Every structure is written in structure tokens, then in C-alpha cells.
Amino acid sequence: MPLSATSDPLALPEIRTIVGRFLDLPDILRCLRVSRSWRATFAPFVWNSVSLQKLDRPSVHALDHHSSLVKNLSYHLDVWNEYKSIHLENLSLLRIQCNWKSPPIVVSQYEHLRCLEVAGGVVDSRRYVFKPYHLHNLKDLKLRGMDIDPEDTAAFWELCTQLEALLMNNTDISELPDSSVTFERLRKLGVYMRSNFSLETQLDWISQCPNLQTLDWVANVYVPPSFVPDFVLRATEGHWRSLTELHLREFHPSDEQLAKLITSMHQARVLSILGCSFGPLSFNALRSHFSTLKELNIGDSSIPVGPVIPEIMASCRQLSTLVVGNVMSQDVIDGQPWVCKASMTSLFACFQITPDRDQDLHQQHVLERISELVNLEELSLIGDGFNPASNMMQLRIGKGLEKLASLRKLRKLDIHNYRQDLSAQEVEWMIDNWKSLKSVQGILSRTNNDRLVAMLKAAGIQYNR
């Protein structure tokens, strides 16, 4: 029925639902007390996600009364016994935290469950056992520090054939799936096996996932140089034609091998290859992905990458995260304007003043460029501990720090090994201008660090040396 000119829009539950999306919890709680119809509208905002790990967790009666509204639940097994009789019929996401007293984790009563995360707590020699049964609608499974009993191995791999996302972090299983099994639905795979399977065996299993879009593989054993060509060959043969995100740790591909990997990817969005040799061939291959690239991590490259960074910043309009090593000021000054001004949220780089240049002038130019990244939330100027302090920018008043007042969304500043000698004036400026700042890491001053740290903590900003 059309609204009259005098109708109250908030009388319609559809309008109240839209309004509720923009309210914080105290406002929603006030809305609950207006009327029964308002309570029916706003209660789902309170009960949609429930945590049973906090000291102020809901009572058993309250959770039972609102059980049909709960879609996301997090709990620690220490407290679950109080609530385990409650049936959460519409639960879609479940997070479970175990401890050393935990019995085997059996999750079978939630027929609508689509996402399950189980974590075994602190990694040690104790066993946290996950038993996979009757999760017919599960699409996303994350296991951290868990074991799969040998008797449940077949059931586990059968469950995995229906998944779209699987994370096995520090997970132990007695055997990998038979080579005849394919995981056609799997789009995201994260692998860090505690089991001592060979790299070749793990690669065979990963090759049974032909539709992967994201692969995150951390080798649990030493990766010999002779193995890397085998992985590159699988990629270039088209085993993962849809791959857009690739994370590799401990693999150390050469420039040529990395170039082949990048070329094999389909519209690369995320590339994180720790310990690689990112050189001219890799960079040339990366150029074809500039229009889609969102995250790039080549911070541990064994080849200096500084000269190519300005071109990346001037070409990748969607880039949100960049992790690199040393970047020289002259390269920044000579480069084209950065096009990722609106998209960049995390920048990790060791900006260095090019030797024999005007330090103050070069620093002003670099900080001017950084100031354009108005949505930046993390800024890390981490040094390597070897470069002389004279080559590092000083975040000082009068030397360009004022230009960074535009970084109003900055939450984290990391200057670890980036030698600074700040004063109370600079710290006071940071507190006044970066209202969103929550964390600072690194030594602020060689002579007055304790006082500066006290100023940060008094402002509610966490400090880590």
C-alpha cells in the first residue's frame, strides 16, 4: 500500500531493518524497548552473531529463547556444556576453540551449517581431534592445530569433495586422498601439514583440485631447488587455470620460474611469494596483471625491487596491500603519479634517501607521495637493521611529518629497525592528528623512548618495541 504524506516510515518493518544496519549496539538495544513490533525488527541485529567466550555471554534461557535468530556462533568448549541442549536450527557459521581437556569435536546437529572453524589453541604435543559427520551443507572448513583420526580419514576426504574452501593449518592426517578423487568444487585451499608427507605427494593432492582460485601453501619440510620446477610445470600445464591468488612460503623460485608462475595465473589479484627472486622477467610477466592486482608481497625478494615499485604504484589502480623491501627516494621522485591513492590500505616498505642527495628535499617528496594514500590503515617503514640511519627518513615536525595529517584512517604505525629519534612534539602530533591510531611498534627515540611510550599509552595506543 502506498505511503500517505503523513505516514511514519518507521512504522514499516522494511524501513526499520534498513535503519538498523547503520546503528551501533547501544542504539539497537534502545530500539528493542520501543514496542513489540520494533523488538521483532531489531532483535535479529542483536542475536545474529553470538559469542560464548566473553564474560558477559548470554544466559542459557536468553539464548534458547532467541535460538532461531542465531546465524553465527563462536564458543569455547569450556563453556559449551551449559548450552549444548539448545538447538540452533538456522546456524550457518560456527567457530569452536578447544583446549587440552577437549573431547573429540563432533559437529553433526547443524544441518544448515555452511562454515565451520575449529582451532586447537596453543600448538603443542596434545591432540585436538576433529570427527567429520553429517555436514551435508558445509562449504567452508578451517582447521587449526587439529588431528583427523585414521578411522575418520575416508569420511573426512569425502566431506572435502563438497567444500568450496578448505584450510588445513598445522593439521595432522594419516593419509592423503586416493588419486582417483577430485575436488571439483574447491576454490580456496590453504595447506600447512603437520604430517610428514613429501612435497611431491602434497603436490599430487593439490593437483586434484583443478578449479582452485586461491592457493596458500606453506611447506612443512625443506624445499630443495630441484622441486620448484615440478610445481612450476604443473602450473604452466594448466592444472589451476582459474588461479587468481597465490601464496607460497619457503619455495624460493628464481626470476624465470616466478615469471612462468605469474604468466600461468588468470587475472592475478593476490601474489605473495616469500623468499623469491623477483627480477626483470617476473616484473614483465606481472605487467599483464596490473589492472587486477590487489595485493603484492615480495618483501623477501633476493633481488632489489625498489626501482620497479614506482611503476607498480603508478599502474595498479586496485592495489590495496604492498609489501616490498628498500625503495630509494630518487626512484619515487622520478616515477609517475600513484594511481592507487584511494585503494591502498596497507603499505610496508623501507624508504631510503638516495645517497648524495638533499635529504630534507627528498624526504619531503616521499612523504608527499605517501600523504596521498588517504585510506591507508597500516604504514610500516621497517628497516633491515643494516642500512645506515642517515639514509632513513625522520618522521619529524618541519621535515615533512605534517604532510601525513591526511592519513586520518591510520591504525598501525611500524618503524621497527627504522632508526628514529623523535621528540615529545612528534608523538603529540601523532596523537592529535591520527585519531584512529591503535598501535605503534619500534623504537621512537634512542634517548627518550620511555617517556614517548608513556605518552602513547596514556592516549590508549598500544606500543610494542
Side-chain angles (χ1 to χ4, degrees), residues 353-425:
I353 303 300
T354 304
D356 302 321
R357 300 298 195 276
D358 185 320
Q359 182 162 359
D360 288 349
L361 180 61
H362 274 231
Q363 175 164 314
Q364 294 272 354
H365 279 296
V366 174
L367 292 179
E368 181 73 40
R369 285 289 179 90
I370 296 175
S371 73
E372 297 171 353
L373 307 175
V374 294
N375 290 313
L376 203 64
E377 297 179 10
E378 291 185 80
L379 176 59
S380 178
L381 303 174
I382 299 178
D384 58 16
F386 298 101
N387 292 307
S390 59
N391 287 357
M392 298 183 183
M393 296 188 301
Q394 291 295 313
L395 302 181
R396 300 295 302 269
I397 300 292
K399 291 184 176 289
L401 177 61
E402 304 94 319
K403 296 179 182 295
L404 301 186
S406 58
L407 307 184
R408 296 184 179 89
K409 297 182 180 180
L410 194 68
R411 296 185 297 105
K412 182 178 180 180
L413 175 67
D414 192 344
I415 51 175
H416 183 68
N417 269 346
Y418 198 76
R419 299 181 184 89
Q420 298 290 296
D421 196 10
L422 308 185
S423 69
Q425 184 182 14

Coordinates of all heavy atoms in Angstrom, one line a residue, residues 353-425:
I353 N 66.7 7.4 1.7 CA 67.1 8.6 1.0 C 68.3 8.2 0.1 O 69.3 7.6 0.6 CB 67.5 9.7 1.9 CG1 66.3 10.0 2.9 CG2 67.9 10.9 1.2 CD1 65.1 10.5 2.2
T354 N 68.2 8.4 -1.2 CA 69.3 8.1 -2.1 C 70.6 8.9 -1.7 O 70.5 10.1 -1.4 CB 68.9 8.5 -3.6 OG1 67.7 7.9 -3.9 CG2 70.0 8.1 -4.5
P355 N 71.7 8.2 -1.6 CA 72.9 8.8 -1.1 C 73.3 10.0 -2.0 O 73.0 10.0 -3.2 CB 74.0 7.7 -1.2 CG 73.2 6.4 -1.1 CD 71.8 6.7 -1.7
D356 N 74.0 11.0 -1.4 CA 74.4 12.2 -2.1 C 73.3 13.0 -2.6 O 73.5 13.7 -3.6 CB 75.4 11.8 -3.2 CG 76.6 11.0 -2.7 OD1 77.1 11.3 -1.6 OD2 77.0 10.1 -3.4
R357 N 72.1 13.0 -2.0 CA 71.0 13.8 -2.4 C 70.6 14.7 -1.2 O 71.0 14.5 -0.1 CB 69.8 13.0 -2.8 CG 70.0 12.0 -4.0 CD 70.4 12.8 -5.3 NE 70.3 12.0 -6.5 CZ 71.2 11.1 -6.9 NH1 72.3 11.0 -6.3 NH2 71.0 10.4 -8.0
D358 N 69.9 15.7 -1.5 CA 69.4 16.6 -0.5 C 68.4 15.9 0.4 O 67.2 15.6 0.0 CB 68.7 17.9 -1.1 CG 68.3 18.9 -0.1 OD1 67.8 18.5 1.0 OD2 68.5 20.1 -0.3
Q359 N 68.8 15.5 1.6 CA 68.0 14.6 2.4 C 66.6 15.2 2.7 O 65.6 14.6 2.6 CB 68.7 14.3 3.7 CG 67.8 13.3 4.6 CD 68.7 12.6 5.6 OE1 69.9 12.8 5.7 NE2 68.1 11.8 6.5
D360 N 66.6 16.5 3.2 CA 65.3 17.1 3.5 C 64.4 17.2 2.3 O 63.2 16.9 2.4 CB 65.6 18.5 4.1 CG 66.2 18.5 5.5 OD1 66.2 17.4 6.1 OD2 66.6 19.5 6.0
L361 N 64.9 17.6 1.2 CA 64.1 17.7 0.0 C 63.5 16.4 -0.5 O 62.3 16.3 -0.8 CB 64.9 18.4 -1.1 CG 64.2 18.6 -2.5 CD1 63.0 19.5 -2.3 CD2 65.1 19.1 -3.5
H362 N 64.3 15.4 -0.5 CA 63.9 14.0 -0.9 C 62.8 13.5 0.1 O 61.9 12.9 -0.3 CB 65.1 13.1 -1.0 CG 65.7 13.2 -2.4 ND1 66.0 12.1 -3.1 CD2 66.1 14.2 -3.1 CE1 66.6 12.4 -4.3 NE2 66.7 13.7 -4.3
Q363 N 63.1 13.7 1.4 CA 62.1 13.2 2.4 C 60.8 13.9 2.2 O 59.7 13.3 2.3 CB 62.7 13.5 3.8 CG 61.7 13.1 4.9 CD 62.3 13.0 6.2 OE1 63.4 12.4 6.4 NE2 61.7 13.6 7.2
Q364 N 60.8 15.2 1.9 CA 59.5 15.9 1.7 C 58.8 15.3 0.5 O 57.6 15.1 0.5 CB 59.8 17.4 1.4 CG 60.4 18.2 2.6 CD 59.4 18.8 3.5 OE1 58.2 18.7 3.2 NE2 59.8 19.3 4.6
H365 N 59.5 15.0 -0.6 CA 58.9 14.4 -1.8 C 58.2 13.1 -1.5 O 57.1 12.8 -1.9 CB 59.9 14.3 -2.9 CG 60.1 15.6 -3.7 ND1 59.2 16.2 -4.4 CD2 61.3 16.3 -3.8 CE1 59.6 17.3 -5.0 NE2 60.9 17.4 -4.6
V366 N 58.9 12.2 -0.8 CA 58.4 10.9 -0.5 C 57.2 10.9 0.4 O 56.2 10.3 0.2 CB 59.5 10.0 0.2 CG1 59.0 8.6 0.6 CG2 60.7 9.8 -0.8
L367 N 57.3 11.8 1.5 CA 56.2 11.9 2.4 C 55.0 12.5 1.7 O 53.8 12.2 2.1 CB 56.6 12.7 3.6 CG 57.6 12.0 4.6 CD1 58.0 12.9 5.7 CD2 57.1 10.7 5.1
E368 N 55.2 13.4 0.8 CA 54.1 14.0 0.0 C 53.4 12.9 -0.8 O 52.1 12.8 -0.8 CB 54.7 15.0 -1.0 CG 53.6 15.7 -1.9 CD 52.8 16.7 -1.1 OE1 53.3 17.4 -0.2 OE2 51.6 16.7 -1.3
R369 N 54.1 11.9 -1.4 CA 53.5 10.8 -2.1 C 52.7 9.9 -1.1 O 51.6 9.6 -1.4 CB 54.6 10.0 -2.8 CG 55.1 10.6 -4.0 CD 54.1 10.7 -5.2 NE 54.6 11.3 -6.4 CZ 55.3 10.7 -7.4 NH1 55.5 9.3 -7.3 NH2 55.7 11.3 -8.4
I370 N 53.3 9.6 0.0 CA 52.6 8.8 1.0 C 51.3 9.5 1.5 O 50.3 8.8 1.7 CB 53.5 8.4 2.2 CG1 54.7 7.6 1.7 CG2 52.8 7.7 3.3 CD1 55.7 7.3 2.7
S371 N 51.4 10.8 1.6 CA 50.2 11.5 2.1 C 49.0 11.4 1.2 O 47.9 11.7 1.6 CB 50.6 13.0 2.3 OG 50.7 13.7 1.1
E372 N 49.2 11.1 0.0 CA 48.1 10.9 -1.0 C 47.3 9.7 -0.8 O 46.2 9.5 -1.3 CB 48.7 10.9 -2.4 CG 49.4 12.2 -2.8 CD 50.1 12.1 -4.1 OE1 50.2 11.0 -4.7 OE2 50.6 13.1 -4.6
L373 N 47.8 8.7 0.0 CA 47.2 7.4 0.3 C 46.2 7.6 1.4 O 46.4 7.2 2.5 CB 48.2 6.4 0.6 CG 49.3 6.2 -0.5 CD1 50.3 5.2 0.0 CD2 48.7 5.8 -1.8
V374 N 45.1 8.3 1.2 CA 44.2 8.9 2.2 C 43.5 7.8 3.0 O 42.9 8.0 4.1 CB 43.2 9.9 1.7 CG1 44.0 11.1 1.2 CG2 42.4 9.3 0.5
N375 N 43.4 6.5 2.4 CA 42.7 5.4 3.1 C 43.7 4.5 3.7 O 43.3 3.4 4.1 CB 41.8 4.7 2.1 CG 40.6 5.5 1.6 OD1 39.9 6.1 2.5 ND2 40.4 5.6 0.3
L376 N 44.9 4.9 3.9 CA 45.9 4.0 4.5 C 45.6 3.7 5.9 O 45.3 4.6 6.7 CB 47.3 4.7 4.4 CG 48.5 3.7 4.4 CD1 48.5 2.8 3.3 CD2 49.8 4.6 4.5
E377 N 45.6 2.4 6.3 CA 45.4 2.0 7.7 C 46.6 1.4 8.3 O 46.7 1.5 9.6 CB 44.3 0.9 7.7 CG 42.9 1.4 7.2 CD 41.8 0.4 7.2 OE1 42.1 -0.7 7.7 OE2 40.8 0.6 6.6
E378 N 47.5 0.9 7.6 CA 48.8 0.4 8.1 C 50.0 1.0 7.3 O 50.0 0.9 6.1 CB 48.8 -1.2 8.0 CG 47.9 -1.9 8.9 CD 48.1 -3.4 8.8 OE1 49.1 -3.9 9.4 OE2 47.3 -4.1 8.1
L379 N 50.9 1.5 8.0 CA 52.1 2.1 7.4 C 53.3 1.5 8.1 O 53.5 1.7 9.4 CB 52.2 3.6 7.5 CG 53.4 4.2 7.0 CD1 53.7 3.9 5.5 CD2 53.4 5.8 7.2
S380 N 54.1 0.7 7.4 CA 55.3 0.0 8.0 C 56.5 0.5 7.3 O 56.6 0.3 6.1 CB 55.1 -1.5 7.9 OG 56.3 -2.1 8.4
L381 N 57.4 1.1 8.0 CA 58.7 1.6 7.4 C 59.8 0.7 8.0 O 60.9 1.3 8.3 CB 58.9 3.1 7.8 CG 57.8 4.0 7.3 CD1 58.0 5.4 7.9 CD2 57.7 4.0 5.8
I382 N 59.6 -0.5 8.1 CA 60.6 -1.5 8.7 C 61.9 -1.5 8.0 O 62.0 -1.6 6.7 CB 60.0 -2.9 8.7 CG1 58.7 -2.9 9.5 CG2 61.0 -3.8 9.3 CD1 58.0 -4.3 9.6
G383 N 63.0 -1.3 8.7 CA 64.3 -1.3 8.1 C 64.8 -2.8 8.3 O 64.2 -3.6 8.9
D384 N 66.0 -3.0 7.6 CA 66.6 -4.3 7.7 C 67.7 -4.4 8.8 O 68.3 -5.5 8.9 CB 67.1 -4.8 6.3 CG 68.2 -3.8 5.8 OD1 68.7 -3.0 6.6 OD2 68.4 -3.9 4.6
G385 N 67.9 -3.3 9.5 CA 69.0 -3.4 10.5 C 70.4 -3.1 10.0 O 71.3 -3.1 10.8
F386 N 70.6 -3.0 8.7 CA 71.9 -2.9 8.1 C 72.1 -1.5 7.5 O 73.2 -1.0 7.4 CB 72.2 -4.0 7.1 CG 72.1 -5.4 7.7 CD1 71.0 -6.2 7.5 CD2 73.2 -5.9 8.4 CE1 71.0 -7.5 8.0 CE2 73.2 -7.1 8.9 CZ 72.0 -7.9 8.7
N387 N 71.0 -0.9 7.0 CA 71.2 0.4 6.4 C 71.5 1.5 7.4 O 71.0 1.5 8.5 CB 69.9 0.8 5.6 CG 69.6 -0.1 4.4 OD1 70.5 -0.3 3.6 ND2 68.5 -0.8 4.4
P388 N 72.4 2.4 7.0 CA 72.7 3.5 8.0 C 71.6 4.4 8.3 O 70.7 4.6 7.4 CB 73.9 4.2 7.3 CG 73.7 3.9 5.8 CD 73.1 2.5 5.8
A389 N 71.5 4.9 9.5 CA 70.4 5.8 9.9 C 70.3 7.0 9.0 O 69.2 7.6 8.8 CB 70.6 6.2 11.4
S390 N 71.5 7.4 8.5 CA 71.5 8.7 7.7 C 70.7 8.5 6.4 O 70.3 9.5 5.7 CB 72.9 9.0 7.3 OG 73.5 8.0 6.6
N391 N 70.4 7.3 6.0 CA 69.6 7.0 4.7 C 68.1 6.9 5.0 O 67.3 6.8 4.1 CB 70.0 5.7 4.1 CG 71.4 5.9 3.4 OD1 72.0 7.0 3.4 ND2 71.9 4.8 2.8
M392 N 67.7 6.9 6.3 CA 66.3 6.7 6.7 C 65.6 8.1 6.9 O 66.2 9.0 7.4 CB 66.2 5.9 7.9 CG 66.8 4.5 7.7 SD 66.6 3.4 9.2 CE 67.4 1.9 8.6
M393 N 64.4 8.1 6.5 CA 63.6 9.3 6.7 C 63.3 9.5 8.2 O 63.1 8.5 8.9 CB 62.2 9.2 6.0 CG 62.3 9.2 4.5 SD 60.7 9.3 3.7 CE 59.8 7.9 4.4
Q394 N 63.3 10.7 8.7 CA 63.0 11.0 10.1 C 61.6 11.6 10.1 O 61.3 12.6 9.5 CB 64.0 12.0 10.7 CG 65.4 11.4 10.8 CD 65.4 10.3 11.9 OE1 64.8 10.4 13.0 NE2 66.0 9.2 11.5
L395 N 60.7 11.0 10.9 CA 59.3 11.5 11.0 C 59.3 12.6 12.0 O 58.8 12.5 13.1 CB 58.4 10.3 11.4 CG 58.4 9.1 10.5 CD1 57.4 8.1 11.0 CD2 58.0 9.5 9.1
R396 N 59.8 13.8 11.5 CA 59.9 14.9 12.4 C 59.1 16.1 11.9 O 58.9 16.3 10.7 CB 61.4 15.4 12.5 CG 62.4 14.3 13.0 CD 62.1 13.9 14.5 NE 62.2 15.1 15.4 CZ 63.3 15.4 16.0 NH1 64.4 14.8 15.8 NH2 63.3 16.5 16.8
I397 N 58.6 16.9 12.9 CA 58.0 18.2 12.6 C 59.0 19.1 11.9 O 60.2 19.2 12.3 CB 57.5 18.9 13.9 CG1 56.5 18.0 14.6 CG2 56.9 20.3 13.5 CD1 55.2 17.8 13.9
G398 N 58.6 19.7 10.8 CA 59.5 20.5 10.0 C 60.2 19.8 8.9 O 60.9 20.4 8.0
K399 N 60.2 18.4 8.9 CA 60.8 17.6 7.9 C 59.8 16.8 7.1 O 60.2 15.9 6.4 CB 61.8 16.7 8.6 CG 63.0 17.4 9.1 CD 64.0 16.4 9.7 CE 65.3 17.1 10.2 NZ 66.1 17.6 9.1
G400 N 58.5 17.2 7.2 CA 57.5 16.6 6.3 C 56.5 15.8 7.0 O 55.5 15.3 6.4
L401 N 56.6 15.5 8.3 CA 55.6 14.7 9.1 C 54.3 15.4 8.9 O 53.2 14.7 8.8 CB 56.0 14.6 10.5 CG 55.0 13.9 11.4 CD1 54.8 12.4 11.0 CD2 55.5 13.9 12.9
E402 N 54.2 16.7 8.9 CA 52.9 17.4 8.9 C 52.1 17.0 7.6 O 50.9 17.0 7.6 CB 53.1 18.9 8.9 CG 53.9 19.4 10.0 CD 55.4 19.6 9.7 OE1 56.0 18.7 9.1 OE2 56.0 20.6 10.1
K403 N 52.8 16.6 6.6 CA 52.1 16.2 5.3 C 51.2 15.0 5.5 O 50.2 14.8 4.8 CB 53.1 15.9 4.2 CG 53.9 17.2 3.8 CD 54.9 16.8 2.7 CE 55.8 18.0 2.3 NZ 55.0 19.1 1.7
L404 N 51.6 14.2 6.5 CA 50.9 12.9 6.8 C 49.6 13.1 7.6 O 49.0 12.2 8.0 CB 51.8 11.9 7.5 CG 53.0 11.5 6.7 CD1 53.8 10.4 7.4 CD2 52.7 11.1 5.3
A405 N 49.2 14.4 7.8 CA 47.9 14.6 8.5 C 46.7 14.1 7.8 O 45.7 13.9 8.3 CB 47.8 16.1 8.8
S406 N 46.9 13.9 6.5 CA 45.8 13.4 5.6 C 45.5 11.9 5.9 O 44.5 11.4 5.5 CB 46.2 13.5 4.2 OG 47.4 12.8 3.9
L407 N 46.4 11.2 6.6 CA 46.2 9.8 6.9 C 45.3 9.6 8.1 O 45.7 9.0 9.2 CB 47.5 9.1 7.1 CG 48.6 9.3 6.0 CD1 49.8 8.4 6.3 CD2 48.0 8.9 4.7
R408 N 44.1 10.0 8.0 CA 43.2 10.1 9.2 C 42.7 8.7 9.5 O 42.1 8.5 10.6 CB 42.0 11.0 8.8 CG 42.3 12.4 8.6 CD 41.1 13.3 8.4 NE 41.5 14.7 8.3 CZ 41.8 15.2 7.1 NH1 41.7 14.5 6.0 NH2 42.1 16.5 7.0
K409 N 42.8 7.7 8.7 CA 42.4 6.3 9.0 C 43.5 5.4 9.5 O 43.3 4.2 9.7 CB 41.7 5.7 7.7 CG 40.5 6.4 7.2 CD 39.9 5.7 6.0 CE 38.6 6.5 5.6 NZ 38.0 5.8 4.4
L410 N 44.7 6.0 9.6 CA 45.9 5.2 10.1 C 45.6 4.5 11.4 O 45.4 5.2 12.4 CB 47.1 6.0 10.1 CG 48.4 5.3 10.2 CD1 48.7 4.5 8.9 CD2 49.6 6.2 10.5
R411 N 45.7 3.2 11.5 CA 45.5 2.5 12.7 C 46.8 1.9 13.3 O 47.0 1.7 14.5 CB 44.6 1.3 12.5 CG 43.2 1.7 12.1 CD 42.3 0.5 12.0 NE 42.7 -0.5 11.0 CZ 43.3 -1.6 11.2 NH1 43.6 -2.0 12.5 NH2 43.7 -2.4 10.2
K412 N 47.8 1.6 12.4 CA 49.0 1.0 12.8 C 50.2 1.6 12.2 O 50.3 1.8 11.0 CB 49.0 -0.5 12.5 CG 50.2 -1.3 13.0 CD 50.1 -2.8 12.7 CE 51.3 -3.5 13.2 NZ 51.2 -5.0 12.9
L413 N 51.2 2.0 13.0 CA 52.5 2.5 12.5 C 53.6 1.6 13.0 O 53.7 1.4 14.2 CB 52.7 3.9 13.0 CG 54.1 4.6 12.7 CD1 54.2 4.8 11.2 CD2 54.3 5.9 13.5
D414 N 54.4 1.1 12.1 CA 55.5 0.2 12.5 C 56.8 0.8 11.9 O 57.0 1.0 10.7 CB 55.3 -1.2 11.9 CG 56.2 -2.2 12.4 OD1 57.3 -1.8 13.0 OD2 56.0 -3.4 12.3
I415 N 57.8 1.1 12.9 CA 59.1 1.7 12.5 C 60.2 0.8 13.1 O 61.2 1.2 13.4 CB 59.2 3.1 13.0 CG1 58.9 3.3 14.4 CG2 58.4 4.0 12.1 CD1 59.1 4.6 15.0
H416 N 59.9 -0.5 13.1 CA 60.9 -1.5 13.7 C 62.2 -1.5 12.8 O 62.1 -1.6 11.6 CB 60.3 -2.9 13.6 CG 61.2 -3.9 14.2 ND1 61.5 -4.0 15.5 CD2 61.8 -5.0 13.6 CE1 62.3 -5.0 15.7 NE2 62.5 -5.6 14.6
N417 N 63.3 -1.3 13.4 CA 64.6 -1.2 12.8 C 64.7 0.0 11.8 O 65.6 0.1 11.0 CB 64.9 -2.5 12.0 CG 65.6 -3.5 12.8 OD1 66.2 -3.2 13.9 ND2 65.7 -4.7 12.4
Y418 N 63.7 0.9 11.9 CA 63.8 2.1 11.1 C 64.2 3.3 12.0 O 63.4 3.9 12.6 CB 62.4 2.4 10.4 CG 62.5 3.3 9.2 CD1 62.9 2.9 8.0 CD2 62.0 4.6 9.3 CE1 63.0 3.7 6.9 CE2 62.1 5.5 8.2 CZ 62.5 5.0 7.0 OH 62.6 5.8 5.9
R419 N 65.5 3.5 12.1 CA 66.1 4.3 13.2 C 65.5 5.7 13.3 O 65.6 6.5 12.3 CB 67.6 4.3 13.1 CG 68.2 3.0 13.1 CD 69.7 3.1 13.0 NE 70.4 1.8 12.9 CZ 70.6 1.1 11.8 NH1 70.2 1.6 10.7 NH2 71.2 -0.1 11.8
Q420 N 64.8 6.0 14.4 CA 64.2 7.3 14.6 C 64.7 7.9 15.9 O 65.2 7.2 16.8 CB 62.7 7.1 14.7 CG 62.0 6.6 13.5 CD 62.0 7.6 12.3 OE1 61.4 8.6 12.4 NE2 62.7 7.2 11.2
D421 N 64.6 9.2 15.9 CA 65.0 10.0 17.1 C 63.9 11.1 17.3 O 64.2 12.3 17.2 CB 66.4 10.6 17.0 CG 66.9 11.0 18.4 OD1 66.3 10.6 19.4 OD2 68.0 11.6 18.4
L422 N 62.7 10.6 17.7 CA 61.6 11.5 17.8 C 61.6 12.2 19.1 O 62.2 11.8 20.1 CB 60.3 10.8 17.6 CG 60.2 9.9 16.3 CD1 58.8 9.3 16.2 CD2 60.5 10.7 15.1
S423 N 60.8 13.3 19.2 CA 60.6 14.1 20.4 C 59.2 14.0 20.8 O 58.3 13.5 20.1 CB 61.0 15.5 20.2 OG 60.1 16.2 19.4
A424 N 58.9 14.5 22.0 CA 57.5 14.6 22.5 C 56.6 15.3 21.6 O 55.4 15.0 21.4 CB 57.5 15.2 23.9
Q425 N 57.2 16.3 20.8 CA 56.4 17.1 19.9 C 55.8 16.2 18.8 O 54.6 16.4 18.4 CB 57.2 18.2 19.3 CG 56.5 19.2 18.4 CD 57.3 20.2 17.8 OE1 58.6 20.1 17.8 NE2 56.7 21.3 17.2

